[in-house]
Amino acid sequence: MNIAVKSPTPPAVSANVKSWLAKPKKLLIGGEWVEARSGKTFAVEDPATREIIAQVAEGDAADIDRAVVSARKAFESGPWHRMLPAERAELVWRLGDLLAKYGDELAEIETLDNGKPITHARAVDVEGSAGMFRYMSGWATRLTGETIPVSSPGNWFAYTVREPVGVVGQIIPWNFPLMMAAWKLAPALSAGCTIVLKPAEQTPLTALRLGELIMEAGFPAGVVNIVTGFGETAGAHLAKHPDVDKIAFTGSTEVGKMIVASAAGNLKKVSLELGGKSPAIVFPDADLDTTVAGTASAIFFNMGQCCTAGSRLFAHKKVFDKIVAGLTSEAGKLHLGHGLNRETTLGPLVSEEQHRRVTGYIETGRKEGAEVVVGGSAVGNRGHFVAPTVLAKTNRDMTVVREEIFGPVVCVQPFEEDDLDNIARFANDTEYGLAASIWTQNLTRAHSLARMIKAGTVWINTHNWGDAALPFGGYKQSGWGREMGKEVMELYTETKSIGARLV
Ligand code: NDP
């Protein structure tokens, strides 16, 4: 099957986004937009065309220091410190409303910066981010402690209160730039923390537009500080900063381990959302149409650049050929193109580095004996496009089965057994534990297997689904802690016990 980039040329960028891109992109520190201390900037490219679309301030350690001072000041004194929970809730909700109001513009910026199809950017990234702020706003007024019946001799009144953890550093990746900012900022703000946010160097733009909306919403100066720059400089300095109380990170497991080591200096709290190698397990009784479309989307959505991507597909021998044929056909239906074209369903990978990494993995797969059923190469001659790829004849020892590829590449394997213990064993045969999906109409099998899989999320007859109310995070090397839902508030609050002797 010949897969090509069908619409590489974008339509004209809207006038308001064009003029926004042309303006200087500075750091948000203490409520002001400022240049990096060094005066340096870096270029941001459109990954579909490789054209430079903006120059952004290159913050480093000196700028992180300034941002932490401003976050500390805003946390310890001033209007944020004195604000009532309902007032915080109102601000966080208002920010969600502003995201919805400027949704078209945010989606356009996200697509230009990251490459993702604009229809996805609008419906998933922007709507999901607006929804996250609105959902999380509700927790500001619901952070309750408990009264505790103690058994110590005497007359005691004991209770707990929940308090914001303090100054929080947040380091986010490039696959869902706006949404990752929302996932991190929304609960931290509702809890009453102040923040220094470091976006990924590949995709800093929507975070900067979000910074403008944060100021428009009326958050006091210094509550949210945004320092664009590089991981090795700005990110590393934030992770080890002695005046940061907590660091929240999403990205590679490799950098996650470095964050843990850096955080040890002042024993700051750490939460990590890392990689995955999620299995999709297809039983013979699964609804075939739903399963083919669902497992294709599990790996091709966002060009496979999802930490939860269904990258290991296990199909029962009875349906294996049909599933592989279905995936191949779905791959052929994808419309590769510039994300701003509304018919595009598969954009480029985010960067040259990611393109090299993903095509390198495909080559390694070939050398190790995998069969390329469809795709298997770079496509187009301008952007970082990779064809949607199905690899068969794969096994547990292959690099492509063991390591996170983070591209539109699925490894398919047949299985014969019906014993759920064995099935759980191969599903769990990975150092990761982020997500899994089970495709069957048998409820007993689905829910029994769901409990046997070591992953933070298990889907039944769907994949890559989530809701702001549902906790999300990883077992094993996929991370520490849970984002979203009620559980995320644990990450951004401390519990204080108060014991009073009643005399
Ligand atoms: P990284 O883990 O390097 O990047 C994630 C974030 O961490 C970015 O903001 C990055 O900054 C920052 N960072 C990098 N190095 C450091 C450091 N030493 N200290 C503090 N912060 C740092 O991911 P990559 O972009 O290199 O992608 C590599 C692989 O990681 C992907 O192929 C994929 O497998 C995985 N990944 C997983 C994600 C997930 O959602 N779980 C998301 C992204 C990647 P900057 O980019 O500015 O240098």
Side-chain angles (χ1 to χ4, degrees):
M1 185 186 296
N2 183 23
I3 293 179
V5 181
K6 292 174 189 149
S7 50
T9 311
V13 175
S14 68
N16 56 337
V17 167
K18 210 170 176 179
S19 74
W20 184 80
L21 287 172
K23 285 185 206 146
K25 300 279 164 285
K26 301 184 184 175
L27 315 174
L28 178 61
I29 297 179
E32 307 282 336
W33 291 98
V34 296
E35 310 271 2
R37 270 271 154 81
S38 66
K40 286 191 199 162
T41 61
F42 63 97
V44 177
E45 70 160 23
D46 171 347
T49 61
R50 301 182 180 210
E51 279 164 20
I52 302 302
I53 51 171
Q55 286 287 336
V56 172
E58 187 193 320
D60 61 20
D63 304 295
I64 292 289
D65 284 342
R66 283 198 287 170
V68 173
V69 167
S70 120
R72 176 59 62 193
K73 189 166 161 224
F75 183 72
E76 303 291 350
S77 57
W80 184 246
H81 174 75
R82 289 190 296 271
M83 212 171 260
L84 297 172
E87 292 171 325
R88 281 206 312 274
E90 198 179 329
L91 279 178
V92 175
W93 182 278
R94 195 179 300 156
L95 183 54
D97 279 352
L98 285 173
L99 259 77
K101 178 175 169 190
Y102 295 106
D104 290 339
E105 179 191 329
L106 283 162
E108 197 176 345
I109 297 170
E110 196 74 311
T111 290
L112 278 167
D113 199 2
N114 166 282
K116 64 179 67 199
I118 190 150
T119 48
H120 299 180
R122 186 69 179 88
V124 179
D125 299 67
V126 174
E127 283 307 310
S129 302
M132 186 59 66
F133 282 108
R134 288 172 177 152
Y135 169 83
M136 286 297 165
S137 70
W139 284 111
T141 52
R142 288 162 182 77
L143 291 172
T144 55
E146 291 179 300
T147 52
I148 314 279
V150 294
S151 300
S152 307
N155 195 7
W156 295 94
F157 174 43
Y159 63 100
T160 59
V161 290
R162 297 202 73 87
E163 297 181 342
V165 74
V167 173
V168 175
Q170 300 184 326
I171 301 176
I172 55 171
W174 42 259
N175 52 342
F176 293 92
L178 179 65
M179 201 148 78
M180 290 301 103
W183 280 28
K184 297 258 181 298
L185 289 172
L189 290 169
S190 284
C193 298
T194 59
I195 296 131
V196 177
L197 177 77
K198 210 293 287 173
E201 68 189 65
Q202 298 86 348
T203 55
L205 297 180
T206 43
L208 294 175
R209 184 68 186 105
L210 182 62
E212 294 174 355
L213 300 183
I214 285 166
M215 299 318 293
E216 186 175 333
F219 283 88
V223 171
V224 178
N225 305 274
I226 302 176
V227 179
T228 47
F230 301 138
E232 303 75 40
T233 49
H237 195 66
L238 184 58
K240 68 168 190 263
H241 202 290
D243 203 29
V244 170
D245 300 301
K246 183 215 156 45
I247 192 98
F249 171 78
T250 296
S252 61
T253 295
E254 184 191 352
V255 174
K257 289 177 183 176
M258 291 158 76
I259 300 277
V260 171
S262 305
N266 70 336
L267 285 181
K268 58 175 68 68
K269 312 282 180 275
V270 179
S271 54
L272 305 168
E273 201 268 274
L274 307 174
K277 195 73 190 175
S278 300
I281 307 154
V282 181
F283 289 92
D285 67 337
D287 177 84
L288 209 62
D289 291 344
T290 309
T291 305
V292 164
T295 52
S297 162
I299 187 64
F300 300 140
F301 174 66
N302 213 41
M303 293 66 77
Q305 299 168 137
C306 294
C307 48
T308 51
S311 50
R312 288 184 300 141
L313 189 135
F314 299 99
H316 195 279
K317 222 171 165 186
K318 288 181 187 157
V319 288
F320 184 79
D321 290 345
K322 284 187 185 151
I323 293 291
V324 173
L327 279 176
T328 306
S329 152
E330 291 292 315
K333 283 188 223 161
L334 288 166
H335 186 107
L336 273 69
H338 194 288
L340 286 186
N341 293 314
R342 298 196 75 82
E343 66 275 23
T344 293
T345 50
L346 200 85
L349 299 185
V350 74
S351 63
E352 189 172 344
E353 187 186 357
Q354 198 59 18
H355 188 263
R356 205 179 315 117
R357 191 178 284 149
V358 172
T359 49
Y361 270 117
I362 296 172
E363 272 325 296
T364 305
R366 269 203 185 94
K367 281 187 198 137
E368 292 182 355
E371 176 199 347
V372 178
V373 180
V374 66
S377 61
V379 272
N381 48 20
R382 264 213 302 173
H384 309 303
F385 292 92
V386 171
T389 298
V390 178
L391 298 180
K393 299 205 169 79
T394 55
N395 64 58
R396 66 176 298 281
D397 298 320
M398 289 180 174
T399 310
V400 283
V401 173
R402 304 222 68 79
E403 296 184 12
E404 183 174 49
I405 298 177
F406 228 63
V409 183
V410 62
C411 298
V412 291
Q413 290 174 255
F415 67 94
E416 275 184 88
E417 54 271 79
D418 295 315
D419 179 62
L420 291 188
D421 282 318
N422 282 337
I423 293 169
R425 206 163 291 130
F426 60 69
N428 290 332
D429 184 18
T430 164
E431 67 193 29
Y432 296 110
L434 195 58
S437 61
I438 300 167
W439 303 81
T440 179
Q441 306 215 31
N442 180 325
L443 284 177
T444 303
R445 178 196 278 149
H447 292 284
S448 305
L449 184 58
R451 291 183 190 193
M452 295 159 83
I453 288 181
K454 292 188 171 65
T457 297
V458 179
W459 293 292
I460 297 169
N461 293 326
T462 188
H463 199 109
N464 283 339
W465 171 79
D467 190 282
L470 209 55
F472 177 82
Y475 283 34
K476 300 195 272 183
Q477 293 195 37
S478 287
W480 287 353
R482 293 292 175 272
E483 299 196 287
M484 306 209 283
K486 185 181 176 184
E487 283 201 51
V488 69
M489 301 317 291
E490 305 277 328
L491 303 183
Y492 292 106
T493 53
E494 294 272 22
T495 300
K496 179 179 280 174
S497 294
I498 300 178
R501 189 165 155 212
L502 304 180
V503 288

